[in-house]
């Protein structure tokens, strides 16, 4: 039994002071069902990707989705959490139910309200998703973790500060064309490549422009089995998907190898019976610019230490051979934790149906999505194609 995306919705990402978590969830849930032309009473299951961890008072929020429509009452609803990959984890849980024949139609929602607490509190909550005994308990934050990755990369392969700046500049330029993006401003390479009062050093060689944004936002998908998708007005099939988890402690692995993401990409591409260069575009997890650089290498676009070549030859730009993060990625679109993986699938589906507005990649037919939890710990790769 196959699974297809037949509808979606996406809120604006950003600092949404007048919108609470409940409103975000209800809004995208209602809009996704309307977009899919699916009556609420036909939904067989609901999965909500949501980290929380103290960002909002509510820790039991799966049934908030039911408030989008009275007909959703009594529908089973489950909250799914897997750090920054909570959104993809929710998508995959719904896929499992459809593939097992337990559901025909699933509603998947990803949502996060991050700006109701201070920046230091956000940093502390996210640090709790590390291996606390060796990392957070010793004061290491996620900027600190990825700053160490960047330092190790530079030590092994040379100074790539300009490479990281090119990634940041590329994604901010792409974000200008995304109407849902948190930051729609082309910062330019020189600004991203220069340490300044407005672009200070954050951790290791990482500057502010190398770090993703703290955002509020939500996204939703309606997934369906083959029979339902056949009668839908359009359908994007999950041609393949792979989840690979690695050890949590960074000390237990060579994190620069990005082996978990590499294995997830290899499995998904093999199951899809395609190669990375068969993709029309990819939405990948650029929580920090060093993560996108390592992802180029994990995908097989470049050899270890040569990911920067993908920028120098233009292949990953919006008009390149394989555009990466035409949405602006987490860097410009924003990173409301639970919403991110769902948002990536929405953006890819929009591209494949020709509905990506000014972000549209010409002749997009196959897309890759990579959502990651922790420092290459929980790794999800989806290969999507339009079938209708």
């Amino acid at each position: 039994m196959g699974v297809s995306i037949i509808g979606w919705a996406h809120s604006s990402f950003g600092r949404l002071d007048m919108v609470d978590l409940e409103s975000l969830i209800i809004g995208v849930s209602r809009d996704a069902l309307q977009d899919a032309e699916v009556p609420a009473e036909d939904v067989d299951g609901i999965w909500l990707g949501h980290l929380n961890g103290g960002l909002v008072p509510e820790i039991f929020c799966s049934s908030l989705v039911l408030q989008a429509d009275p007909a959703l009452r009594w529908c089973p609803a489950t909250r799914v959490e897997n750090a920054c990959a909570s959104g993809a984890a929710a998508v995959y849980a719904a896929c499992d139910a459809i593939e097992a024949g337990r559901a025909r139609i699933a509603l998947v929602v990803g949502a996060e309200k991050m700006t109701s607490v201070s920046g230091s509190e956000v940093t502390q909550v996210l640090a709790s998703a590390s291996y606390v005994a060796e990392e957070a308990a010793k004061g290491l934050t996620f900027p600190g973790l990825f700053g160490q990755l960047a330092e190790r990369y530079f030590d092994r392969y040379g100074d790539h500060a300009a490479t990281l700046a090119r990634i940041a500049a590329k994604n901010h330029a792409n974000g200008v064309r995304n109407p849902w993006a948190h930051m729609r401003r082309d910062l330019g390479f020189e600004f991203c490549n220069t340490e300044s009062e407005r672009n200070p050093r954050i951790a290791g060689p990482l500057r502010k422009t190398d770090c993703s944004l703290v955002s509020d936002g939500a996204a939703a998908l309606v997934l369906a089995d083959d029979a339902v998708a056949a009668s839908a007005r359009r359908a994007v099939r999950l041609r393949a998907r792979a989840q690979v988890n690695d050890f949590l402690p960074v000390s237990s692995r060579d994190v620069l190898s990005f082996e978990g993401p590499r294995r997830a990409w290899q499995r998904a591409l093999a199951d899809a019976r395609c190669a990375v260069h068969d993709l029309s575009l990819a939405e990948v997890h650029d929580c920090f610019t060093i993560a996108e650089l390592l992802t180029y290498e994990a995908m097989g676009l470049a050899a270890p230490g040569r990911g920067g070549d993908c920028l120098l030859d233009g292949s990953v730009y919006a008009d390149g051979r394989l555009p990466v993060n035409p949405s602006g990625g987490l860097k410009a679109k924003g990173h409301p934790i639970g919403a991110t993986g769902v948002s990536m699938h929405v953006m890819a589906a929009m591209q494949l149906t020709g509905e990506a507005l000014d972000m549209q990649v010409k002749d997009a037919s196959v897309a890759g999505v990579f959502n990651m939890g922790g420092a290459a710990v929980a790794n999800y790769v989806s290969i999507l194609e339009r079938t209708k």
Side-chain angles (χ1 to χ4, degrees):
M1 181 68 69
V3 181
S4 294
I5 300 167
I6 63 170
W8 52 77
H10 203 290
S11 80
S12 295
F13 281 6
R15 187 178 184 94
L16 308 178
D17 292 331
M18 305 305 293
V19 183
D20 61 12
L21 178 69
E22 181 178 343
S23 299
L24 285 167
I25 289 172
I26 291 171
V28 294
S29 299
R30 185 178 293 148
D31 291 348
L33 291 173
Q34 183 177 359
D35 183 64
E37 299 178 349
V38 167
E41 56 265 29
D42 288 353
V43 175
D44 299 307
I46 295 165
W47 285 266
L48 172 68
H50 178 57
L51 174 73
N52 190 4
L55 296 171
V56 295
E58 298 87 356
I59 63 169
F60 182 38
C61 47
S62 54
S63 280
L64 290 178
V65 181
L66 275 58
Q67 293 169 208
D69 193 298
L72 290 174
R73 191 180 186 188
W74 317 125
C75 186
T78 305
R79 171 178 168 248
V80 181
E81 185 279 313
N82 217 8
C84 295
S86 295
V91 173
Y92 283 25
C95 288
D96 288 342
I98 292 173
E99 290 171 353
R102 299 279 297 174
R104 297 177 310 116
I105 298 173
L107 176 59
V108 179
V109 182
E112 211 73 59
K113 178 72 178 179
M114 301 182 71
T115 66
S116 295
V117 298
S118 68
S120 61
E121 288 174 287
V122 172
T123 300
Q124 184 177 2
V125 168
L126 297 184
S128 299
S130 69
Y131 185 57
V132 173
E134 292 181 0
E135 297 160 10
K138 296 182 178 180
L140 195 58
T141 64
F142 267 97
L145 266 173
F146 280 88
Q148 287 186 355
L149 258 70
E151 285 179 336
R152 294 179 192 180
Y153 193 93
F154 288 16
D155 288 344
R156 190 176 298 182
Y157 301 117
D159 188 332
H160 278 270
T163 301
L164 301 186
R166 289 187 182 96
I167 291 171
K170 169 182 72 69
N171 290 348
H172 279 293
N174 289 347
V176 172
R177 297 187 289 272
N178 184 347
W180 298 278
H182 185 156
M183 184 181 291
R184 300 184 66 191
R185 191 183 315 148
D186 187 351
L187 299 180
F189 170 72
E190 290 303 327
F191 179 82
C192 295
N193 197 41
T194 304
E195 189 175 333
S196 66
E197 185 177 348
R198 293 176 57 208
N199 190 27
R201 186 76 62 97
I202 300 297
L206 299 180
R207 295 155 294 209
K208 186 175 181 179
T209 49
D210 294 308
C211 307
S212 59
L213 302 164
V214 173
S215 312
D216 307 325
L221 295 163
V222 178
L223 304 182
D225 66 13
D226 291 337
V228 174
S231 59
R233 66 186 178 91
R234 35 103 147 106
V236 173
R237 184 167 70 99
L238 278 90
R239 181 167 160 180
R241 60 190 178 93
Q243 177 188 352
V244 171
N245 272 56
D246 204 347
F247 293 126
L248 183 58
V250 169
S251 64
S252 299
R253 51 201 165 94
D254 174 15
V255 72
L256 273 193
S257 70
F258 244 42
E259 189 172 359
R262 185 181 304 277
R263 287 174 177 264
W265 276 103
Q266 289 173 344
R267 290 184 189 179
L269 289 168
D271 289 348
R273 298 182 180 179
C274 67
V276 68
H277 292 296
D278 294 323
L279 301 178
S280 306
L281 67 129
E283 289 288 337
V284 311
H285 198 97
D286 61 321
C287 49
F288 300 90
T289 52
I290 185 64
E292 181 167 328
L293 178 60
L294 288 167
T295 299
Y296 298 159
E297 299 169 15
M299 294 170 70
L301 290 177
R306 305 296 305 183
D309 294 350
C310 298
L311 296 145
L312 295 177
D313 67 15
S315 60
V316 294
Y317 285 86
D319 57 354
R321 185 175 68 250
L322 176 55
V324 174
N325 286 333
S327 69
L330 285 59
K331 182 78 265 302
K333 183 180 60 175
H335 185 23
I337 306 295
T340 289
V342 181
S343 168
M344 289 173 161
H345 285 80
V346 170
M347 293 292 158
M350 286 180 174
Q351 291 283 358
L352 297 176
T353 56
E355 300 174 48
L357 306 174
D358 291 340
M359 298 177 284
Q360 187 64 51
V361 173
K362 185 179 179 181
D363 300 325
S365 59
V366 183
V369 170
F370 168 53
N371 186 200
M372 177 177 71
V377 176
N379 308 284
Y380 295 77
V381 173
S382 304
I383 307 299
L384 279 61
E385 66 177 352
R386 183 177 186 176
T387 55
K388 186 177 181 183

